[in-house]
Amino acid sequence: MRFSAKPFSRPPSDERAIREDAVSCNDEAQVYATADGDSAAYCPKHPPVRYPCCGLTGGQMASIVLTANAAALNGPIDLYSFLRQTNDGVRRMHQSIGKDPCNGDDVGGASFAICRIFDNVALTFLGGDCFQLWKDLEGYHFVSGFDQAAHEVEEQDINAYGKCLEQAGGNKGEAWNLYYPHYQEKRVRYANKNIGKGGWATLNGDPTVLQYRTMVHIDHLHQVLWVLIGTDGLLHRHFRPGYKDELGRLYESSGISAVLKWRDEKDYQPHIGHGEHPEASAVELSFN
């Protein structure tokens, strides 16, 4: 199966923001990955945890462990084993600073999309709000690691921060101080827990990610035109699978730049701000 792969990344508009996205293209192993890190809750009164061995936040660490492991592969792999070994590595990093998600600790992790191409098949594991969009002879298809319940929890969370921002008179630092306990409680409740009731899979060292990850299996790749895997920074706040045709047409006609323009015109999240955008990462796979 002949195809080409191209990585993409866009930095956040806020140059001071902690960058936690990562992307990897390994043509030798035919494994392609994007990751969107999410650190343990932090705020001005509780600064982000940094891992002494690397100086990274938990979100940065999880993203880099995934994409570095993917980049280091030198041959065919079993995707399940790869995810398990990578997740174990993330857990060991947490344990090195006395934290463990299996003990109920809030720790950093990453949403992820990991795609392996072999024979005439594409196999993808998704976690969190990373996604896969593709087009075949039947049209456009979209799958994310988020279900509707997880989107509802996320929307409630955004609204909770917005109320804290109002209470703080627009001061984002103070808003994060107020919001911190709520955000930490939400992370512990839903990271690799309560799947179907608001939870989501995340690469944070908890072995249950292997049970809760979403799997996409595409047969007959000779009938596929392209596949796009990416982080949620390419999608606007209210995006849902029902928008897949609009998203697919935009991408197919004018590429990622058109998708980002569409996202930026529609999106506003109070913790980011008007006219600003989060970082985004993707891998574009073109077939035939």
Side-chain angles (χ1 to χ4, degrees), residues 52-88:
C53 62
C54 56
L56 302 174
T57 67
Q60 289 174 317
M61 178 273 294
S63 290
I64 289 174
V65 167
L66 170 61
T67 53
N69 283 3
L73 295 169
N74 57 14
I77 54 112
D78 172 73
L79 207 55
Y80 185 91
S81 297
F82 172 76
L83 180 59
R84 175 175 51 79
Q85 293 165 6
T86 299
N87 190 61
D88 287 346

Side-chain angles (χ1 to χ4, degrees), residues 100-112:
D100 194 322
C102 297
N103 295 335
D105 293 326
D106 177 20
V107 295
S111 296
F112 57 87

Side-chain angles (χ1 to χ4, degrees), residues 9-286:
S9 62
R10 177 170 80 157
S13 54
D14 183 355
E15 295 180 354
R16 300 167 298 174
I18 296 174
R19 297 186 62 174
E20 296 184 324
D21 269 22
V23 61
S24 175
C25 288
N26 184 332
D27 291 322
E28 182 177 359
Q30 296 188 337
V31 172
Y32 307 91
T34 64
D36 179 3
D38 55 275
S39 291
Y42 64 89
C43 65
K45 289 184 178 179
H46 301 275
V49 173
R50 300 277 181 174
Y51 288 70
C53 62
C54 56
L56 302 174
T57 67
Q60 289 174 317
M61 178 273 294
S63 290
I64 289 174
V65 167
L66 170 61
T67 53
N69 283 3
L73 295 169
N74 57 14
I77 54 112
D78 172 73
L79 207 55
Y80 185 91
S81 297
F82 172 76
L83 180 59
R84 175 175 51 79
Q85 293 165 6
T86 299
N87 190 61
D88 287 346
V90 171
R91 186 178 183 186
R92 287 193 294 271
M93 291 290 286
H94 293 322
Q95 291 172 331
S96 73
I97 61 168
K99 300 287 186 179
D100 194 322
C102 297
N103 295 335
D105 293 326
D106 177 20
V107 295
S111 296
F112 57 87
I114 316 165
C115 181
R116 181 194 171 198
I117 307 297
F118 56 102
D119 298 329
N120 197 27
V121 173
L123 178 65
T124 303
F125 285 173
L126 299 169
D129 48 14
C130 283
F131 69 89
Q132 177 169 297
L133 173 75
W134 73 100
K135 185 180 183 183
D136 60 19
L137 299 182
E138 296 180 356
Y140 302 109
H141 309 270
F142 178 91
V143 178
S144 167
F146 255 34
D147 61 13
Q148 181 57 33
H151 278 299
E152 290 173 1
V153 166
E154 190 72 8
E155 194 66 22
Q156 293 167 6
D157 199 48
I158 291 171
N159 292 334
Y161 174 81
K163 292 178 180 178
C164 290
L165 189 61
E166 290 179 8
Q167 187 177 345
N171 184 308
K172 287 189 175 183
E174 184 56 31
W176 277 103
N177 288 332
L178 294 170
Y179 173 61
Y180 173 83
H182 171 89
Y183 185 51
Q184 186 175 60
E185 188 275 335
K186 168 220 170 182
R187 292 177 52 81
V188 172
R189 175 177 294 184
Y190 292 114
N192 288 320
K193 300 183 185 74
N194 293 310
I195 305 301
K197 299 179 181 179
W200 56 85
T202 178
L203 186 76
N204 71 350
D206 189 331
T208 56
V209 69
L210 298 164
Q211 175 184 351
Y212 296 138
R213 87 284 182 269
T214 298
M215 184 173 70
V216 184
H217 192 278
I218 304 176
D219 291 316
H220 310 301
L221 277 182
H222 63 279
Q223 298 179 1
V224 174
L225 300 179
W226 49 261
V227 172
L228 176 70
I229 61 172
T231 64
D232 72 320
L234 272 73
L235 308 176
H236 62 77
R237 170 178 170 180
H238 299 293
F239 183 88
R240 298 295 184 270
Y243 290 110
K244 70 179 188 305
D245 289 346
E246 184 177 4
L247 176 63
R249 286 192 295 268
L250 275 171
Y251 174 70
E252 191 166 38
S253 65
S254 302
I256 286 181
S257 61
V259 171
L260 292 174
K261 182 175 183 294
W262 181 62
R263 192 222 77 85
D264 294 347
E265 289 172 348
K266 289 180 175 290
D267 205 33
Y268 168 62
Q269 298 183 42
H271 67 288
I272 296 175
H274 286 292
E276 299 187 28
H277 61 258
E279 60 185 326
S281 299
V283 178
E284 301 175 84
L285 299 167
S286 300

